[in-house]
Amino acid sequence: MDFNQVKNQLDYASAVPLPRAEDEIALSDLLRIIWSGRALIVLIPLLAMAATALAIGALSLRIDEPTVYFVELRGIENSRYPNGTAFSPRDLVAPAILEELRRRYNIPDDTNLRDGITVTFGHPATIGLHRLYEEKLAVSNLSPAEITSINEEYRTQLKSVTESALRIEVNHQLLGLSPDDGAVIAQALPELWSQHFSENVRIFEDTRLSRVEITSSSEDLRTTASILNARQRLQIMDQGLALMSGDNRLALLQTSDGETIGDLRQALQRFRTVQFDPVMAAQFQADDFVGSAYIKSLQLKLGELRMKMASYDDALQELYKFQNSAVTVAAQSDSSFFQNSLQITDTGLSEIVELAKRANLSDFTRQMLEEKQKIGAEIAEIESELQKVIQDAKAASTPDFRDNAAETLASLTRSYSELVKGAKERLRTQAGKLYSSMGLPYTVGATFPKRAILAIILAGGFAALLTVIFVLARASLRAHRPA
């Protein structure tokens, strides 16, 4: 073997790496291979992240979703307006409101607003409420009774929360509008509803004020019929003034002349004592047909009330006797039970419980006593009325005296009507809006999802891992490929 052959063998041996154990991997070799494929490892994850962002954006920016707006109801309880009128979410899409919406924003007549706007009960907090009760039901070892109680509590709270707010949806695509226009319409709808129902439907007016409202009319107080009409008017005015004085919002109400509710109540009392009662007594002394019929009706009513009072007295007396006997029997049975606890049967125990229930009649007794007090008050009022019509009042029969009384009554009526009108106006203006905003309108899917960034990062990391595996596999295949 010459020198050149030996040199070639040594060069070949130095070029071929020495064999390693199968479980040994050189970190420097891996880093060298990864570094050689650094372009792919950087580029492919970036492309994956960009593709994920575009896909999420395409899903979240769908234009067929409606614009949603939540408002919280104010002054509406148990689906009732402040005046007791029934409330429904459909009130917001009443024809008058939609027509005003069309006029204000120049919406074409051929656009069907009724199909493009939906209003239902809804509250964003229902999602959190649902999760809360899911956690309660997830507790182990719950009995059927506990599960039923949790479900019933959930239904009650869900109904209460849901009906405290409204979900307004505007399908701007169906209406041929942009999302911004849909948001404007969603915000304007509850405003128009509150304004329309406050001014035109008058849902802030107290229905009790409407029942005590009277119209001005001239009463000459020269006939029995006119006097009875005036008496009825005075009763309504007393009720209305008592109602307004009991409301803190109306207690300081005044007429244009500075007359307060308290001033008018005192004036009515003076008018009754000094003018009206003498006129009424003088008229009934004339013994005409209407006056006689009225007195007879009062006497019959008085007799009926006294008979009812007597029946209540008898019922209360019997009830008192029954309570004493029932309690005594229950006490004796209870004592026998403790003395012979080993001999008493289930039937005997049930009888004792039933006697105890029957003996507990305090609520029923209280109701009967309250009814008796009401009857006593009616009897006293009728007796007072009879005393007024039979008193001697000859001076009040003169025409001048009656004319003066009629003028006073007309003046009192005008002052009372002014106070009622002012009370209605104050209730309407102080009530404010029927709703409060719970945020800005938004288009469902138009906002980027909160977890989109996390999804993009995960997509990039997964793509990087796959790229590294691909680079290592490609290097391995090249190393084993025959020269």
Side-chain angles (χ1 to χ4, degrees):
M1 180 178 298
D2 56 13
F3 177 76
N4 291 329
Q5 290 178 344
V6 174
K7 181 181 179 181
N8 291 335
Q9 289 179 357
L10 291 174
D11 292 339
Y12 177 78
S14 62
V16 178
L18 294 175
R20 299 182 183 141
E22 293 182 358
D23 58 347
E24 293 180 0
I25 300 176
L27 180 60
S28 60
D29 293 341
L30 292 178
L31 293 177
R32 179 177 57 81
I33 295 172
I34 293 174
W35 180 253
S36 65
R38 60 186 179 277
L40 292 176
I41 295 175
V42 174
L43 181 60
I44 291 179
L46 289 177
L47 292 175
M49 294 172 69
T52 304
L54 291 175
I56 294 175
L59 292 175
S60 62
L61 295 174
R62 292 177 298 176
I63 61 174
D64 57 338
E65 295 292 344
T67 299
V68 178
Y69 183 45
F70 286 97
V71 296
E72 187 174 10
L73 297 173
R74 296 175 55 187
I76 297 178
E77 298 180 359
N78 299 323
S79 296
R80 295 281 177 180
Y81 286 107
N83 66 346
T85 306
F87 164 77
S88 171
R90 293 191 297 271
D91 293 345
L92 274 75
V93 290
I97 298 175
L98 294 182
E99 287 303 318
E100 177 63 21
L101 191 69
R102 188 189 304 276
R103 185 196 63 80
R104 179 177 295 187
Y105 296 101
N106 297 322
I107 301 176
D109 294 337
D110 57 350
T111 302
N112 193 340
L113 291 175
R114 187 65 181 83
D115 293 339
I117 300 176
T118 304
V119 183
T120 58
F121 283 118
H123 198 293
T126 55
I127 299 176
L129 186 65
H130 181 69
R131 291 177 181 173
L132 175 63
Y133 279 90
E134 277 186 340
E135 294 176 357
K136 287 187 177 182
L137 290 174
V139 178
S140 59
N141 300 326
L142 288 176
S143 65
E146 290 174 333
I147 295 176
T148 302
S149 176
I150 292 175
N151 289 331
E152 183 63 28
E153 182 183 1
Y154 171 69
R155 283 192 293 267
T156 302
Q157 290 199 12
L158 181 64
K159 183 176 184 298
S160 176
V161 171
T162 302
E163 294 186 356
S164 66
L166 295 176
R167 175 188 174 96
I168 301 173
E169 294 184 1
V170 178
N171 193 331
H172 48 269
Q173 185 185 26
L174 180 63
L175 298 177
L177 304 173
S178 65
D180 292 338
D181 293 335
V184 171
I185 290 178
Q187 288 180 303
L189 189 68
E191 179 184 350
L192 294 176
W193 159 68
S194 179
Q195 180 180 355
H196 174 73
F197 274 75
S198 300
E199 297 178 358
N200 301 329
V201 186
R202 302 182 183 276
I203 48 85
F204 284 120
E205 289 186 2
D206 195 328
T207 54
R208 296 175 299 174
L209 284 177
S210 300
R211 290 194 293 266
V212 295
E213 189 175 11
I214 59 177
T215 57
S216 299
S217 60
S218 59
E219 299 290 352
D220 56 13
L221 300 182
R222 295 191 178 186
T223 63
T224 306
S226 63
I227 291 175
L228 292 178
N229 290 334
R231 176 184 173 276
Q232 184 180 13
R233 184 189 303 181
L234 290 173
Q235 290 177 341
I236 295 175
M237 292 168 67
D238 286 336
Q239 296 173 7
L241 292 173
L243 176 63
M244 288 186 285
S245 63
D247 194 327
N248 292 331
R249 299 170 297 177
L250 308 175
L252 301 179
L253 201 63
Q254 295 183 356
T255 65
S256 58
D257 296 333
E259 190 174 16
T260 65
I261 296 175
D263 295 337
L264 187 56
R265 296 185 76 174
Q266 294 178 1
L268 279 177
Q269 184 62 35
R270 288 195 301 270
F271 172 73
R272 282 180 178 274
T273 304
V274 178
Q275 293 179 290
F276 183 75
D277 289 346
V279 168
M280 186 173 62
Q283 182 64 31
F284 278 95
Q285 289 175 7
D287 197 22
D288 62 345
F289 174 75
V290 176
S292 300
Y294 178 71
I295 294 175
K296 186 64 176 179
S297 65
L298 289 179
Q299 292 173 344
L300 291 175
K301 181 66 176 178
L302 183 62
E304 179 183 350
L305 290 175
R306 284 174 175 169
M307 291 178 60
K308 187 179 292 187
M309 178 70 79
S311 65
Y312 270 97
D313 290 336
D314 294 340
L316 287 172
Q317 186 68 23
E318 293 296 327
L319 185 61
Y320 177 75
K321 294 179 180 178
F322 172 76
Q323 283 181 307
N324 288 339
S325 61
V327 171
T328 302
V329 171
Q332 292 175 354
S333 300
D334 190 47
S335 175
S336 176
F337 167 74
F338 284 107
Q339 293 175 1
N340 306 287
S341 58
L342 297 178
Q343 300 179 0
I344 192 168
T345 64
D346 293 339
T347 304
L349 183 60
S350 300
E351 291 176 356
I352 293 174
V353 173
E354 183 64 24
L355 282 173
K357 290 181 179 179
R358 293 173 61 187
N360 187 17
L361 299 174
S362 58
D363 292 340
F364 180 67
T365 305
R366 187 181 66 255
Q367 292 178 0
M368 293 189 68
L369 289 174
E370 290 176 354
E371 290 295 325
K372 183 180 175 182
Q373 290 177 349
K374 292 180 181 178
I375 295 174
E378 291 185 40
I379 291 176
E381 183 179 354
I382 294 177
E383 289 179 342
S384 176
E385 186 74 9
L386 285 173
Q387 290 295 326
K388 290 178 182 178
V389 298
I390 63 175
Q391 66 177 333
D392 187 12
K394 295 181 180 179
S397 60
T398 62
D400 292 340
F401 188 89
R402 298 195 180 204
D403 291 341
N404 291 333
E407 290 177 2
T408 305
L409 177 60
S411 176
L412 294 173
T413 303
R414 286 192 297 270
S415 299
Y416 174 79
S417 298
E418 186 178 350
L419 285 176
V420 172
K421 182 179 179 181
K424 288 186 174 183
E425 182 65 19
R426 177 166 296 186
L427 290 177
R428 187 186 67 81
T429 55
Q430 288 185 351
K433 292 184 178 180
L434 288 167
Y435 73 98
S436 60
S437 176
M438 301 182 67
L440 296 175
Y442 65 93
T443 300
V444 178
T447 57
F448 214 57
K450 294 181 179 180
R451 298 183 180 180
I453 297 178
L454 178 61
I456 293 173
I457 294 174
L458 290 177
F462 187 68
L465 179 62
L466 292 179
T467 305
V468 170
I469 295 174
F470 169 74
V471 171
L472 293 175
R474 185 184 64 173
S476 177
L477 290 175
R478 287 180 178 178
H480 291 83
R481 183 181 301 171

